[in-house]
Amino acid sequence: MKIDHAALFVADLEGSAAFFETYFGGRRNHLYHNGKTGLSTYILSFEGGARLELMHLPSVAERGSQQLLGFAHVSFSVGSREQVDALTARLREDGYTVKSGPRVTGDGYYESSVLDKEGNAIEITV
């Protein structure tokens, strides 16, 4: 098992992407935008295989939002859809909250999202 990527909510998506490109050598993918939710993201790839997802959601920057600027989730790649399904089921059986999935997301990932004991979002991906 390995960490697939970390995600960070940002107020300025373009500026943040430029910062990680300029100072850390990140390479961004195409802009993903979900017209229904307003979420826009870039995934930046770094030398050695590390990846960082930058996420902008207009409501996150608003006072009183349930989300805050900062890290949104950590993602673990487990290797196959079957392993995503099995680990999600195990976590559910052990009493953890499954927020979503397993499912194919709008940007093509097969994933589920669960909450740890402190309410932190953990993605489980292929």
mmCIF file of all heavy atoms in Angstrom, residues 72-74 76 91 95-99 113-124:
data_model
loop_
_atom_site.group_PDB
_atom_site.id
_atom_site.type_symbol
_atom_site.label_atom_id
_atom_site.label_comp_id
_atom_site.label_asym_id
_atom_site.label_seq_id
_atom_site.Cartn_x
_atom_site.Cartn_y
_atom_site.Cartn_z
ATOM 1 N N ALA A 72 -7.510 18.482 2.628
ATOM 2 C CA ALA A 72 -8.868 17.967 2.568
ATOM 3 C C ALA A 72 -8.950 16.464 2.844
ATOM 4 O O ALA A 72 -9.882 16.000 3.487
ATOM 5 C CB ALA A 72 -9.484 18.251 1.193
ATOM 6 N N HIS A 73 -7.995 15.712 2.324
ATOM 7 C CA HIS A 73 -7.974 14.272 2.546
ATOM 8 C C HIS A 73 -6.604 13.716 2.201
ATOM 9 O O HIS A 73 -5.800 14.382 1.574
ATOM 10 C CB HIS A 73 -9.053 13.557 1.723
ATOM 11 C CG HIS A 73 -8.864 13.656 0.237
ATOM 12 N ND1 HIS A 73 -9.544 14.584 -0.526
ATOM 13 C CD2 HIS A 73 -8.077 12.973 -0.642
ATOM 14 C CE1 HIS A 73 -9.191 14.452 -1.796
ATOM 15 N NE2 HIS A 73 -8.285 13.487 -1.894
ATOM 16 N N VAL A 74 -6.380 12.496 2.628
ATOM 17 C CA VAL A 74 -5.200 11.756 2.198
ATOM 18 C C VAL A 74 -5.727 10.531 1.464
ATOM 19 O O VAL A 74 -6.781 9.988 1.808
ATOM 20 C CB VAL A 74 -4.286 11.382 3.386
ATOM 21 C CG1 VAL A 74 -4.962 10.450 4.363
ATOM 22 C CG2 VAL A 74 -2.973 10.805 2.896
ATOM 23 N N PHE A 76 -5.029 6.711 -0.300
ATOM 24 C CA PHE A 76 -4.204 5.511 -0.336
ATOM 25 C C PHE A 76 -4.595 4.658 -1.528
ATOM 26 O O PHE A 76 -5.769 4.330 -1.710
ATOM 27 C CB PHE A 76 -4.387 4.701 0.948
ATOM 28 C CG PHE A 76 -3.819 5.382 2.151
ATOM 29 C CD1 PHE A 76 -4.581 6.249 2.899
ATOM 30 C CD2 PHE A 76 -2.503 5.155 2.525
ATOM 31 C CE1 PHE A 76 -4.057 6.886 4.011
ATOM 32 C CE2 PHE A 76 -1.963 5.779 3.637
ATOM 33 C CZ PHE A 76 -2.742 6.652 4.377
ATOM 34 N N LEU A 91 -13.833 -1.470 6.729
ATOM 35 C CA LEU A 91 -13.938 -0.259 7.546
ATOM 36 C C LEU A 91 -15.378 -0.015 7.985
ATOM 37 O O LEU A 91 -15.644 0.341 9.140
ATOM 38 C CB LEU A 91 -13.387 0.948 6.789
ATOM 39 C CG LEU A 91 -11.857 0.971 6.677
ATOM 40 C CD1 LEU A 91 -11.409 1.880 5.545
ATOM 41 C CD2 LEU A 91 -11.241 1.394 7.999
ATOM 42 N N GLY A 95 -17.169 -0.100 11.951
ATOM 43 C CA GLY A 95 -17.848 1.042 12.533
ATOM 44 C C GLY A 95 -17.444 2.406 12.011
ATOM 45 O O GLY A 95 -17.894 3.423 12.539
ATOM 46 N N TYR A 96 -16.624 2.453 10.979
ATOM 47 C CA TYR A 96 -16.227 3.734 10.411
ATOM 48 C C TYR A 96 -17.286 4.222 9.425
ATOM 49 O O TYR A 96 -17.974 3.424 8.781
ATOM 50 C CB TYR A 96 -14.872 3.630 9.716
ATOM 51 C CG TYR A 96 -13.752 3.420 10.703
ATOM 52 C CD1 TYR A 96 -13.353 2.142 11.050
ATOM 53 C CD2 TYR A 96 -13.130 4.513 11.303
ATOM 54 C CE1 TYR A 96 -12.336 1.951 11.970
ATOM 55 C CE2 TYR A 96 -12.110 4.320 12.222
ATOM 56 C CZ TYR A 96 -11.727 3.032 12.555
ATOM 57 O OH TYR A 96 -10.727 2.848 13.472
ATOM 58 N N THR A 97 -17.416 5.536 9.294
ATOM 59 C CA THR A 97 -18.369 6.143 8.375
ATOM 60 C C THR A 97 -17.810 6.124 6.965
ATOM 61 O O THR A 97 -16.692 6.593 6.730
ATOM 62 C CB THR A 97 -18.661 7.605 8.780
ATOM 63 O OG1 THR A 97 -19.228 7.608 10.091
ATOM 64 C CG2 THR A 97 -19.606 8.280 7.798
ATOM 65 N N VAL A 98 -18.582 5.576 6.035
ATOM 66 C CA VAL A 98 -18.230 5.620 4.617
ATOM 67 C C VAL A 98 -18.973 6.805 4.021
ATOM 68 O O VAL A 98 -20.203 6.820 3.981
ATOM 69 C CB VAL A 98 -18.593 4.307 3.890
ATOM 70 C CG1 VAL A 98 -18.299 4.415 2.407
ATOM 71 C CG2 VAL A 98 -17.837 3.131 4.512
ATOM 72 N N LYS A 99 -18.195 7.817 3.588
ATOM 73 C CA LYS A 99 -18.795 9.034 3.028
ATOM 74 C C LYS A 99 -19.337 8.815 1.628
ATOM 75 O O LYS A 99 -20.377 9.341 1.265
ATOM 76 C CB LYS A 99 -17.757 10.163 2.970
ATOM 77 C CG LYS A 99 -17.413 10.786 4.281
ATOM 78 C CD LYS A 99 -16.362 11.869 4.153
ATOM 79 C CE LYS A 99 -16.643 12.837 3.035
ATOM 80 N NZ LYS A 99 -15.682 13.930 2.930
ATOM 81 N N SER A 113 -14.567 6.925 0.028
ATOM 82 C CA SER A 113 -14.085 7.891 1.003
ATOM 83 C C SER A 113 -14.657 7.519 2.356
ATOM 84 O O SER A 113 -15.869 7.322 2.496
ATOM 85 C CB SER A 113 -14.512 9.307 0.610
ATOM 86 O OG SER A 113 -14.053 10.235 1.568
ATOM 87 N N VAL A 114 -13.783 7.387 3.352
ATOM 88 C CA VAL A 114 -14.200 7.045 4.705
ATOM 89 C C VAL A 114 -13.652 8.094 5.668
ATOM 90 O O VAL A 114 -12.715 8.819 5.344
ATOM 91 C CB VAL A 114 -13.716 5.634 5.116
ATOM 92 C CG1 VAL A 114 -14.278 4.581 4.185
ATOM 93 C CG2 VAL A 114 -12.200 5.569 5.154
ATOM 94 N N LEU A 115 -14.256 8.164 6.846
ATOM 95 C CA LEU A 115 -13.781 9.082 7.877
ATOM 96 C C LEU A 115 -13.030 8.307 8.945
ATOM 97 O O LEU A 115 -13.504 7.260 9.400
ATOM 98 C CB LEU A 115 -14.955 9.816 8.531
ATOM 99 C CG LEU A 115 -15.798 10.702 7.626
ATOM 100 C CD1 LEU A 115 -16.939 11.321 8.429
ATOM 101 C CD2 LEU A 115 -14.956 11.771 6.958
ATOM 102 N N ASP A 116 -11.877 8.837 9.361
ATOM 103 C CA ASP A 116 -11.176 8.220 10.482
ATOM 104 C C ASP A 116 -11.875 8.632 11.778
ATOM 105 O O ASP A 116 -12.903 9.322 11.758
ATOM 106 C CB ASP A 116 -9.680 8.546 10.470
ATOM 107 C CG ASP A 116 -9.358 9.996 10.814
ATOM 108 O OD1 ASP A 116 -10.253 10.770 11.219
ATOM 109 O OD2 ASP A 116 -8.173 10.361 10.681
ATOM 110 N N LYS A 117 -11.323 8.255 12.897
ATOM 111 C CA LYS A 117 -11.981 8.529 14.186
ATOM 112 C C LYS A 117 -12.093 10.013 14.506
ATOM 113 O O LYS A 117 -12.952 10.417 15.289
ATOM 114 C CB LYS A 117 -11.262 7.800 15.317
ATOM 115 C CG LYS A 117 -11.470 6.313 15.260
ATOM 116 C CD LYS A 117 -10.818 5.621 16.423
ATOM 117 C CE LYS A 117 -11.097 4.129 16.307
ATOM 118 N NZ LYS A 117 -10.675 3.374 17.468
ATOM 119 N N GLU A 118 -11.236 10.830 13.915
ATOM 120 C CA GLU A 118 -11.272 12.276 14.156
ATOM 121 C C GLU A 118 -12.072 13.024 13.098
ATOM 122 O O GLU A 118 -12.124 14.240 13.113
ATOM 123 C CB GLU A 118 -9.856 12.826 14.232
ATOM 124 C CG GLU A 118 -9.086 12.284 15.418
ATOM 125 C CD GLU A 118 -7.708 12.886 15.549
ATOM 126 O OE1 GLU A 118 -7.433 13.945 14.965
ATOM 127 O OE2 GLU A 118 -6.897 12.280 16.261
ATOM 128 N N GLY A 119 -12.648 12.281 12.152
ATOM 129 C CA GLY A 119 -13.431 12.905 11.091
ATOM 130 C C GLY A 119 -12.629 13.308 9.872
ATOM 131 O O GLY A 119 -13.152 13.987 8.996
ATOM 132 N N ASN A 120 -11.357 12.888 9.794
ATOM 133 C CA ASN A 120 -10.536 13.178 8.615
ATOM 134 C C ASN A 120 -10.919 12.263 7.467
ATOM 135 O O ASN A 120 -11.115 11.058 7.658
ATOM 136 C CB ASN A 120 -9.056 12.986 8.948
ATOM 137 C CG ASN A 120 -8.588 13.974 9.977
ATOM 138 O OD1 ASN A 120 -8.716 15.181 9.806
ATOM 139 N ND2 ASN A 120 -8.084 13.459 11.090
ATOM 140 N N ALA A 121 -11.020 12.833 6.283
ATOM 141 C CA ALA A 121 -11.402 12.060 5.105
ATOM 142 C C ALA A 121 -10.207 11.292 4.568
ATOM 143 O O ALA A 121 -9.128 11.852 4.353
ATOM 144 C CB ALA A 121 -11.952 12.989 4.027
ATOM 145 N N ILE A 122 -10.411 10.002 4.321
ATOM 146 C CA ILE A 122 -9.410 9.115 3.754
ATOM 147 C C ILE A 122 -9.991 8.531 2.472
ATOM 148 O O ILE A 122 -11.051 7.903 2.515
ATOM 149 C CB ILE A 122 -9.041 7.968 4.715
ATOM 150 C CG1 ILE A 122 -8.717 8.486 6.115
ATOM 151 C CG2 ILE A 122 -7.934 7.101 4.121
ATOM 152 C CD1 ILE A 122 -7.526 9.374 6.213
ATOM 153 N N GLU A 123 -9.310 8.745 1.353
ATOM 154 C CA GLU A 123 -9.743 8.129 0.104
ATOM 155 C C GLU A 123 -9.013 6.809 -0.082
ATOM 156 O O GLU A 123 -7.828 6.696 0.243
ATOM 157 C CB GLU A 123 -9.393 9.022 -1.105
ATOM 158 C CG GLU A 123 -10.380 10.092 -1.368
ATOM 159 C CD GLU A 123 -10.066 10.858 -2.629
ATOM 160 O OE1 GLU A 123 -9.071 10.562 -3.334
ATOM 161 O OE2 GLU A 123 -10.820 11.797 -2.907
ATOM 162 N N ILE A 124 -9.740 5.856 -0.611
ATOM 163 C CA ILE A 124 -9.157 4.561 -0.963
ATOM 164 C C ILE A 124 -9.350 4.405 -2.453
ATOM 165 O O ILE A 124 -10.480 4.436 -2.948
ATOM 166 C CB ILE A 124 -9.859 3.425 -0.202
ATOM 167 C CG1 ILE A 124 -9.801 3.683 1.309
ATOM 168 C CG2 ILE A 124 -9.230 2.078 -0.545
ATOM 169 C CD1 ILE A 124 -10.754 2.842 2.106
#
